[in-house]
Amino acid sequence: MVRLITHNLLACHVKGCTTNNFPLVFQDAQVEIHEAEFNEDFIRGFMPKIEWKALVDSARQLGDTSLPEEQPEMADDDFLKTLHHVLLEMHIEEGAMVCQNCGHVYPISNGIPNMLLAEHEIG
Amino acid sequence: MSRPELQAPPEIYYGDTEAKKYTANTRIQQIQADMTYRALELLNLPPDEPKFLLDIGAGSGLSGEILDDEGHIWVGVDIAPSMLEVALERDVQGDLFLQDIGQGFGFRPGSFDGAVSISVIQWLLNAETSHPTSSPPHRLTRFFTTLYAALRNPSRAVLQFYPTSDDQIQLITSIAQKAGFGGGVVVDYPNSKKARKVFLCLYVGGGGGQQVPKGLEGDVADENAVKFEKRRERERRREKSGKRKNVKAKDWILKKKELYRQRGKEDVPRDSKYTGRKRRTVF
């Protein structure tokens, strides 16, 4: 269950891969929608942490265009609901995440990404 | 038996059977739940605010379920695929990652409002290969520095673990401090052999004015524990020996009546199909 909320926090952690290592790009992603309970306080509290551009780009890549290009100043209820949907209800079940910088592939199977590194990649 | 971390690396020790056993065992569930609640208490999060937490060594999601119950959103990492499979079967709410915490995390700085870890970091104390990145100090350093980076300022991380010696506690705390953490070790029930629990209570930021909380003292609240019942054992032994028969059995009654008749006792009730039967309750 990779949700975009965690994807938005995830950078490549291969040794020496420090620039341009965020966000990881999805490859052959299969998306499933699982409904989750809407929690306004949480979304509001989480908003400042979001890298907006990365979130919008990833969401568009997965075929969801409901988010605006720029993060709006004022957050009304409708906007929070869309944000909730994108952050917490879109699950990537299969596919892979690729680092744009070093090209490391993190395969996702059964909704669990494999973040293990080979010996020479450990920092 | 020797400790699990001495037998095999975690991803092998927690194979399919062990992962199922671990999750189905109600005693382990109880202990994990108690420790998770205690860890949450030590995290000292503001009440009724949903937070974004990291569960290190989430395993089958025993601790994650409690985080769910408390209304938090969480991300779990674990190195054992079988444990994560059990977590998937149990349909836990958090995001799961297959990750070796000794290799460090790749989370953006300030991602999490707190971190909990139940019975995990003792696994970092064994070297699996002779490669320099496999040495315990290296793995611990990598773990603590990346964890420190992933936590918000101010926040806390509470890590429960089972040290075998004071040297291990010393090693772990010194590396955590080098990584930038404040805080220290909290020991619950230090005088009890069974209930003793070690929590590493680490702070990110907070101006250094934070005191490490006190460990719980005194006797263990034992009401949930199964009490040893000798009575049960005694009864089972008696049943097994088969010496004593049920007094109210029909043939026993018939035998007694026969005996009384032989002795010439009057008014011995005659035998019928009702002999030795129980009366109806309404009677």
Side-chain angles (χ1 to χ4, degrees):
Chain A
M1 290 166 300
V2 194
R3 292 176 291 190
L4 284 181
I5 187 171
T6 16
H7 173 260
N8 200 256
L9 299 169
L10 206 58
C12 179
H13 64 297
V14 169
K15 182 181 189 178
C17 184
T18 46
T19 49
N20 194 25
N21 60 352
F22 172 86
L24 302 172
V25 179
F26 285 115
Q27 225 173 40
D28 313 321
Q30 288 174 23
V31 185
E32 276 181 30
I33 307 288
H34 295 280
E35 272 185 36
E37 209 177 310
F38 178 60
N39 189 331
E40 190 186 325
D41 293 340
F42 178 78
I43 301 282
R44 271 188 201 281
F46 195 79
M47 282 231 310
K49 281 198 226 168
I50 298 173
E51 276 283 341
W52 193 256
K53 195 176 160 339
L55 179 67
V56 175
D57 287 351
S58 318
R60 299 224 162 139
Q61 203 195 338
L62 298 175
D64 187 296
T65 48
S66 53
L67 290 179
E69 199 76 51
E70 293 291 320
Q71 184 165 11
E73 297 282 311
M74 291 290 290
D76 56 15
D77 263 8
D78 278 350
F79 170 70
L80 286 178
K81 286 232 166 81
T82 2
L83 191 56
H84 164 79
H85 173 77
V86 173
L87 281 179
L88 294 170
E89 292 185 339
M90 288 173 66
H91 296 244
I92 292 88
E93 291 291 331
E94 299 285 335
M97 295 184 290
V98 185
C99 172
Q100 290 160 291
N101 186 33
C102 68
H104 186 99
V105 180
Y106 299 97
I108 305 173
S109 79
N110 272 330
I112 297 180
N114 182 341
M115 306 300 287
L116 299 178
L117 301 177
E119 219 165 48
H120 65 276
E121 293 172 321
I122 303 171
Chain B
M1 205 163 38
S2 70
R3 297 164 66 106
E5 57 270 23
L6 299 180
Q7 293 176 35
E11 66 274 27
I12 296 178
Y13 180 79
Y14 290 113
D16 286 342
T17 36
E18 196 63 31
K20 287 228 168 62
K21 261 201 291 188
Y22 189 90
T23 319
N25 186 326
T26 47
R27 188 179 135 75
I28 290 178
Q29 282 174 7
Q30 183 64 41
I31 294 175
Q32 291 269 326
D34 287 347
M35 290 194 296
T36 314
Y37 278 119
R38 176 71 175 138
L40 273 176
E41 190 185 332
L42 291 171
L43 264 188
N44 201 16
L45 296 167
D48 301 327
E49 269 182 52
K51 293 287 184 191
F52 195 56
L53 302 179
L54 178 63
D55 188 350
I56 302 157
S60 47
L62 289 175
S63 42
E65 269 179 357
I66 288 165
L67 301 182
D68 276 338
D69 287 348
E70 300 288 309
H72 302 296
I73 307 232
W74 56 280
V75 171
V77 299
D78 204 291
I79 195 178
S82 304
M83 285 295 243
L84 292 173
E85 216 166 278
V86 177
L88 279 183
E89 279 168 24
R90 286 155 50 88
D91 214 11
V92 294
Q93 295 296 312
D95 283 9
L96 299 167
F97 286 83
L98 179 68
Q99 190 157 25
D100 183 355
I101 56 170
Q103 296 179 349
F105 302 105
F107 296 110
R108 270 202 293 132
S111 297
F112 295 100
D113 301 318
V116 289
S117 158
I118 306 295
S119 320
V120 174
I121 48 175
Q122 70 268 14
W123 289 97
L124 286 175
L125 294 165
N126 299 308
E128 305 304 347
T129 66
S130 57
H131 197 270
T133 56
S134 183
S135 78
H138 185 275
R139 287 166 64 76
L140 283 167
T141 311
R142 189 81 190 129
F143 167 64
F144 281 120
T145 43
T146 49
L147 176 65
Y148 185 84
L151 289 171
R152 210 168 55 101
N153 184 356
S155 67
R156 290 185 181 193
V158 177
L159 317 158
Q160 184 275 330
F161 68 112
Y162 292 108
T164 37
S165 64
D166 285 347
D167 287 349
Q168 291 191 342
I169 301 183
Q170 184 65 36
L171 175 75
I172 288 175
T173 42
S174 70
I175 290 178
Q177 273 161 8
K178 269 183 215 153
F181 282 109
V185 172
V186 179
V187 184
D188 279 0
Y189 308 116
N191 299 323
S192 160
K193 209 174 167 188
K194 257 169 117 179
R196 187 185 137 102
K197 293 284 175 314
V198 181
F199 291 86
L200 191 59
C201 199
L202 300 173
Y203 304 134
V204 178
Q210 298 190 63
Q211 282 278 315
V212 177
K214 275 220 167 70
L216 300 175
E217 302 261 343
D219 287 335
V220 194
D222 215 14
E223 66 236 21
N224 290 330
V226 178
K227 294 203 179 65
F228 182 65
E229 277 198 278
K230 209 165 192 179
R231 183 176 56 86
R232 239 188 244 170
E233 212 172 67
R234 227 185 296 137
E235 272 172 14
R236 196 178 308 140
R237 212 183 308 140
R238 191 191 292 160
E239 277 164 27
K240 261 192 190 160
S241 71
K243 269 180 198 158
R244 241 185 117 119
K245 277 191 193 119
N246 195 352
V247 184
K248 300 276 163 65
K250 190 175 177 184
D251 43 338
W252 181 84
I253 296 171
L254 289 175
K255 200 181 86 188
K256 279 284 186 195
K257 281 163 127 182
E258 193 53 46
L259 188 72
Y260 293 146
R261 283 189 202 108
Q262 277 175 7
R263 284 178 185 163
K265 194 176 182 242
E266 287 170 13
D267 303 332
V268 179
R270 58 195 179 82
D271 302 332
S272 75
K273 65 173 180 181
Y274 301 108
T275 305
R277 279 208 200 163
K278 244 194 179 143
R279 287 211 164 101
R280 282 166 64 196
T281 38
V282 286
F283 186 80

